[in-house]
Amino acid sequence: MVGKNCFAIASDRRLGVQLQTIATDFQRIYKVHDRLFLGLSGLATDAQTLYQRLVFRHKLYQLREERDMKPETFANLVSAILYEKRFGPYFCQPVIAGLGDEDKPFICTMDSIGAKELAKDFVVAGTASESLYGACESMFKEGMEPEELFETVSQALLSSVDRDCLSGWGGHVYVVRENTDVRCIFKHDHSDMILLRSIKYIEKELNMLL
């Protein structure tokens, strides 16, 4: 989800095989560089393999160009790699979020063969995508500051995963502005999901960093 010169990316922490829960601390969000993050939902082994290939290609780009890859360029790279495997695809759905020129947020998602879906407000992926669409549509508004964006994304994630039996067990939220990213972890207290750190503390931390 995008805000005013910032963006937030969030995911749950459950790793499971259908209704069987394997782990409750699984990481789905990966940091490519300070201004670019990648979320991968789907088959865990394919997601990790795809991430390793993308890190390899990004490092080659850094060596050749002596700069970090722009979000739009990285999205094209992900799309090309996925389409390359279209007859035996990676079973994952990427979400790409980054800051481009003049700190303009860029977000996009794509299917397992690399068909991109661009948006100016928010994108969703995974098993809870239907409930996420509804929550994000009702809570999103333009021009949100990092503090308000964090609260909006957190509440959208909380309300959505509660409506999907294949998601949950906490979550990760990253709020990124310029070269600063703040990470928050949710945990599960057996009845509902609560913040590991309060929203007021996050707001205070953001204000100190900005």
Side-chain angles (χ1 to χ4, degrees), residues 76-87:
N76 291 334
L77 171 64
V78 176
S79 179
I81 288 177
L82 290 176
Y83 190 71
E84 186 181 277
K85 297 285 187 180
R86 62 192 179 277
F87 297 115

Side-chain angles (χ1 to χ4, degrees), residues 119-152:
K120 296 182 179 180
D121 44 11
F122 61 86
V123 292
V124 301
T127 59
S129 59
E130 292 183 3
S131 55
L132 278 168
Y133 268 120
C136 292
E137 189 72 44
S138 62
M139 296 181 185
F140 175 81
K141 62 180 181 181
E142 294 184 2
M144 288 186 288
E145 294 293 336
E147 299 87 356
E148 187 179 6
L149 180 62
F150 166 77
E151 185 174 354
T152 301

Side-chain angles (χ1 to χ4, degrees), residues 48-152:
Q48 291 170 350
T49 302
L50 178 60
Y51 172 67
Q52 290 170 359
R53 287 194 64 189
L54 291 170
V55 168
F56 171 71
R57 297 288 289 271
H58 181 257
K59 287 182 177 179
L60 287 178
Y61 183 91
Q62 285 178 315
L63 287 171
R64 185 174 63 249
E65 301 289 335
E66 297 182 352
R67 60 189 172 95
D68 289 327
M69 197 177 287
K70 293 182 179 180
E72 297 85 354
T73 308
F74 187 77
N76 291 334
L77 171 64
V78 176
S79 179
I81 288 177
L82 290 176
Y83 190 71
E84 186 181 277
K85 297 285 187 180
R86 62 192 179 277
F87 297 115
Y90 294 113
F91 293 106
C92 57
Q93 189 175 359
V95 173
I96 299 160
L99 292 176
D101 295 333
E102 300 179 354
D103 296 328
K104 183 179 179 181
F106 171 86
I107 56 172
C108 117
T109 185
M110 55 191 74
D111 60 13
S112 60
I113 61 170
K116 288 190 292 185
E117 178 186 347
L118 303 174
K120 296 182 179 180
D121 44 11
F122 61 86
V123 292
V124 301
T127 59
S129 59
E130 292 183 3
S131 55
L132 278 168
Y133 268 120
C136 292
E137 189 72 44
S138 62
M139 296 181 185
F140 175 81
K141 62 180 181 181
E142 294 184 2
M144 288 186 288
E145 294 293 336
E147 299 87 356
E148 187 179 6
L149 180 62
F150 166 77
E151 185 174 354
T152 301

Side-chain angles (χ1 to χ4, degrees), residues 14-22 28 42-43 127 164-167 169:
R14 180 182 184 270
L15 172 64
V17 179
Q18 295 182 359
L19 300 180
Q20 180 183 4
T21 299
I22 306 298
R28 285 192 176 86
L43 186 62
T127 59
D164 179 38
C165 64
L166 300 178
S167 305
W169 285 101

